[in-house]
Amino acid sequence: MSFKIYVDGQEGTTGLQIQDYLAQRNDLKLLKIDPEKRKDIAARKKLLNEADLVFLCLPDAAAKESVSLIENNHTKVVDASTAHRINKDWVYGLPELGNGQRECITRSNRVANPGCHSTGFILLVNPLIKMGILPTDYPVSCTSITGYSGGGRKLIEKYQEVKKSQSIDSPKPYGLKLQHKHLPEMTALTGLDNPPVFLPIVANYYKGMAVSVPLVMDKLIEKTKAEDIQKRLSDFYAGEKFVTVMPYEDDSLLEEGNFFNVEACNDTNNVDIFVFGHEEQVLLIARFDNLGKGASGAAVQNMNLMLGLGESTGL
């Protein structure tokens, strides 16, 4: 059986990447809209209702509009926008959350794809709260560095254009009003009482992300050590194909035994989790491709589950 797939927003960064994944498949039929009709509501509505599954790669308002145009109970939706991520009528598309999340995605017709920063943060923090290690009122902070593709087409064009004429090598912190659009899901999907203090940073390389969360040991519920947290996380993610908890204090995983390579998971759907620290402090880092597990790869993973296909097919 060949499933019909439509990408609404096929010209954006995420939409193009999803189409690259789907082009390698022979079990799917990709529905296309004429470029001149991509803003034609009637043309979009026809394809939205014809498809077995739709990817929404649109701004929030446009994503909500597309959902409203679907008039059947058949078409499944994976929404890559922020519009539905904390909507209780939608399932959050992170199978590795545990507690039956994978099964919920499999049964759902409406799945909200996670944000890139949120993916790393939730994979680090959610298990520690579930295991009773991290209190929900802990004042969590988070830093996330990403390649400029994380900013979408406009930022990609800006970096690639400026590169031709001048240097923009220095990393650039942003979101300094502390109201980043990923904060609601970062809070809700971990169970924290309050949003983390979150500092995203864009740097002059195309893709690759490292999300880091520092913790102070004597503020945790359960007295523990960094190596114990590594073991607990390793047990939590045992059996997950796309999440690997790396060995504790293995200098061979760092360049020259000291430097962290943010791009080492690029072109995969993988997340590598690292635990660094000592008896008093721990630093957690999640590394992944912001266009892979941080966006398009995760969307395809969710599609596979929703259509009853092998979860890792095409990834």
Side-chain angles (χ1 to χ4, degrees), residues 115-185:
C116 53
H117 302 288
S118 311
T119 295
F121 181 79
I122 293 166
L123 289 174
L124 295 175
V125 174
N126 172 265
L128 300 185
I129 290 178
K130 280 181 176 167
M131 292 186 288
I133 295 172
L134 185 68
T136 59
D137 62 353
Y138 189 98
V140 178
S141 63
C142 174
T143 300
S144 181
I145 185 167
T146 181
Y148 57 77
S149 62
R153 185 169 59 185
K154 287 185 178 179
L155 192 63
I156 292 171
E157 290 173 351
K158 175 183 177 181
Y159 267 82
Q160 293 181 342
E161 182 61 32
V162 171
K163 276 185 177 182
K164 298 175 184 177
S165 58
Q166 65 187 79
S167 173
I168 51 172
D169 287 338
S170 63
K172 300 190 184 307
Y174 65 102
L176 300 179
K177 293 183 179 180
L178 303 182
Q179 295 178 335
H180 193 278
K181 64 182 181 178
H182 291 180
L183 285 170
E185 63 189 286

Side-chain angles (χ1 to χ4, degrees), residues 73-113:
N73 296 321
H74 169 72
T75 300
K76 300 175 186 289
V77 179
V78 177
D79 182 10
S81 80
T82 61
H84 300 103
R85 288 179 187 161
I86 58 172
N87 186 324
K88 295 187 182 300
D89 294 328
W90 288 63
V91 174
Y92 194 73
L94 190 59
E96 297 85 0
L97 269 176
N99 287 354
Q101 194 73 10
R102 181 172 274 105
E103 291 72 22
C104 289
I105 294 168
T106 300
R107 295 192 300 266
S108 180
N109 278 1
R110 299 288 184 269
V111 170
N113 215 50

Side-chain angles (χ1 to χ4, degrees), residues 4-127:
K4 291 180 287 185
I5 310 297
Y6 174 52
V7 180
D8 197 6
Q10 61 190 33
E11 302 300 323
T13 305
T14 300
L16 290 169
Q17 190 86 2
I18 288 173
Q19 290 175 93
D20 287 345
Y21 279 113
L22 302 185
Q24 306 171 39
R25 309 268 298 258
N26 57 18
D27 56 341
L28 306 171
K29 178 183 178 182
L30 186 59
L31 304 179
K32 291 277 193 176
I33 192 168
D34 291 337
E36 64 271 16
K37 292 185 176 181
R38 59 191 180 90
K39 293 187 179 181
D40 183 314
I41 290 180
R44 288 172 52 222
K45 183 176 181 178
K46 179 179 182 297
L47 292 171
L48 287 164
N49 284 278
E50 181 182 346
D52 295 299
L53 185 140
V54 171
F55 292 103
L56 303 181
C57 304
L58 301 163
D60 288 7
K64 291 178 180 179
E65 178 190 60
S66 290
V67 174
S68 74
L69 295 174
I70 298 173
E71 297 178 333
N72 68 78
N73 296 321
H74 169 72
T75 300
K76 300 175 186 289
V77 179
V78 177
D79 182 10
S81 80
T82 61
H84 300 103
R85 288 179 187 161
I86 58 172
N87 186 324
K88 295 187 182 300
D89 294 328
W90 288 63
V91 174
Y92 194 73
L94 190 59
E96 297 85 0
L97 269 176
N99 287 354
Q101 194 73 10
R102 181 172 274 105
E103 291 72 22
C104 289
I105 294 168
T106 300
R107 295 192 300 266
S108 180
N109 278 1
R110 299 288 184 269
V111 170
N113 215 50
C116 53
H117 302 288
S118 311
T119 295
F121 181 79
I122 293 166
L123 289 174
L124 295 175
V125 174
N126 172 265

